[in-house]
Amino acid sequence: DGETQNMPLEPVAPRRTEIPESERDDDEIQFIGTGKRSQNDTPKPRRKIYIIRGIDDPASNLYRFKFLYKDDPLPFNSLEHAFQYLRVLPHDAELAEKIRAVESPYAALKLAKSCPARIDRAQDETLMTDLICQKIKQCRSLRDLLRRAVVEKLTFIHSTYPSDKFWASGLSY
């Protein structure tokens, strides 16, 4: 009607949809569009941003669980351990074994950075893709999180984004 069309547009304050306490996670934030609305505006889709953080998060490569890879009978302490071990192994077997032996995924990452060999980024991508596929098969917590992501339309970002848009570093926690 004519009255509604002539009303000034008011800014709309951002809103946050509450997550039930049983499903609440400190790493979840819900953002929705802000700005002015008119009667012709369609509502902005709601997106939940899930920030991946460290060793307690199943979506992180640093997440601690016994990870088996291919025919290797010894489990790795995390996907990060396996990744760093496998990329260093062709260049320095002794360093690779040290990486495998350390308890902390942060220590594994730090040790791998001491490898003087130049490691091919394309090979890293292929290896990481394979490792992540294996992790999904082995890690129930990650599978549950991914199922939830589909239902809730979660968008995953790493806590170091945007400083490292390609490989986020666990050393920044």
Side-chain angles (χ1 to χ4, degrees):
D1 72 53
E3 274 186 52
T4 309
Q5 289 178 355
N6 295 328
M7 290 179 66
L9 297 175
E10 296 290 324
V12 176
R15 293 176 291 165
R16 181 173 180 183
T17 303
E18 283 295 298
I19 300 167
E21 193 165 324
S22 63
E23 297 175 27
R24 195 165 294 152
D25 183 339
D26 292 337
D27 293 342
E28 291 179 346
I29 320 167
Q30 185 158 21
F31 298 99
I32 36 182
T34 61
K36 297 183 177 184
R37 281 194 191 170
S38 74
Q39 65 188 32
N40 297 327
D41 284 348
T42 55
K44 303 260 189 236
R46 295 179 182 193
R47 290 175 54 181
K48 288 185 181 177
I49 307 298
Y50 182 96
I51 301 172
I52 300 169
R53 296 187 187 179
I55 62 174
D56 296 321
D57 187 337
S60 172
N61 296 340
L62 304 172
Y63 183 67
R64 290 184 188 189
F65 79 106
K66 295 300 178 190
F67 179 71
L68 294 168
Y69 186 67
K70 296 199 174 182
D71 297 329
D72 194 329
L74 298 175
F76 293 94
N77 290 326
S78 69
L79 184 142
E80 189 68 33
H81 279 82
F83 178 68
Q84 299 302 343
Y85 171 89
L86 292 166
R87 66 193 295 256
V88 168
L89 184 61
H91 308 286
D92 188 336
E94 187 177 325
L95 179 59
E97 289 307 321
K98 287 179 184 176
I99 290 168
R100 177 180 225 137
V102 295
E103 186 67 27
S104 163
Y106 298 107
L109 177 57
K110 203 170 210 174
L111 276 171
K113 289 183 179 233
S114 71
C115 181
R118 182 87 178 125
I119 299 172
D120 182 9
R121 190 175 196 139
Q123 288 176 338
D124 279 358
E125 290 175 31
T126 302
L127 175 59
M128 183 57 78
T129 300
D130 190 37
L131 288 167
I132 290 171
C133 289
Q134 291 302 312
K135 182 179 177 184
I136 292 167
K137 290 176 184 176
Q138 295 177 40
C139 183
R140 177 177 294 207
S141 298
L142 178 58
R143 286 193 311 273
D144 291 346
L145 177 60
L146 293 173
R147 282 187 196 102
R148 185 175 136 216
V150 170
V151 172
E152 297 182 28
K153 296 181 171 80
L154 296 177
T155 299
F156 290 86
I157 61 169
H158 200 277
S159 63
T160 58
Y161 182 86
S163 64
D164 183 353
K165 293 178 182 171
F166 191 81
W167 295 107
S169 170
L171 297 178
S172 61
Y173 293 110

